[in-house]
Amino acid sequence: MTYRRLCRCYTKHMKLFTRQTAPPHSSADPESLESMVGQMAEKIVAFAHSLDPDHPTKLDYSIDSLTALDALLGETPVASLEDGLVTALAAQAGCYIFEVARRTYGGTYYMDARTEQPLMIISEPDFSVSFLAIEKATGRLKN
């Protein structure tokens, strides 16, 4: 799978990828961010499994599982949830998206200074791709 296919997948399913120069980021330890993002991603996997243990949503960190995540977010009754739960679910979904990208293409986590959210940067020699997934997951839940 190529970067272009990943970009198309995100554009088609989640509208999350933006190709641009990397925004300013803080010097937060990328390894501790990687651990935190991984733990948050595991929470939404557990949440999806708990909805129907006999037929769990397939969240296996593959690119194709982003379609299942999108469906899960689309079916979540946000209006009946407290704001704190919506925020937590969006953070977990965003972290899952980060982990799919990191496991597939590598990349490094940083803390974005403007939004105070994790940011992933995937680099190649000619360009870099960076994205903020939590903000977009919040938008997907609410729309």
Side-chain angles (χ1 to χ4, degrees), residues 3 7 15-25 98 112 114-115 118-133 135-136:
Y3 269 105
C7 290
K15 306 281 187 210
L16 291 178
F17 241 88
T18 57
R19 187 174 290 198
Q20 59 189 21
T21 58
H25 51 272
F98 280 141
D112 183 66
R114 292 182 305 213
T115 63
L119 162 77
M120 172 174 266
I121 298 177
I122 303 171
S123 298
E124 283 193 338
D126 297 331
F127 67 91
S128 69
V129 176
S130 63
F131 64 100
L132 295 160
E135 185 176 285
K136 297 299 182 178

Side-chain angles (χ1 to χ4, degrees), residues 78-87:
V78 176
S80 64
L81 299 176
E82 296 176 17
D83 286 342
L85 291 175
V86 173
T87 300

Side-chain angles (χ1 to χ4, degrees), residues 5 12 35 45 54 67 74 80 85 95 97 120:
R5 183 168 179 218
K12 180 179 177 186
S35 175
V45 172
D54 295 328
T67 302
S80 64
L85 291 175
C95 288
I97 294 163
M120 172 174 266

Side-chain angles (χ1 to χ4, degrees), residues 2 8 18 32 57 61 63 70 74 77-78 86 99 101 104 111 115 123 133 138:
T2 65
R8 281 195 306 270
T18 57
S32 64
T57 300
Y61 297 98
I63 295 294
D70 182 56
V78 176
V86 173
E99 276 297 288
T104 305
M111 188 60 71
T115 63
S123 298
T138 301

Side-chain angles (χ1 to χ4, degrees), residues 37-49 61 88-89 92:
V37 169
Q39 291 171 7
M40 293 288 288
E42 284 298 320
K43 289 181 181 184
I44 198 159
V45 172
F47 170 73
H49 183 76
Y61 297 98
L89 185 58
Q92 293 165 8

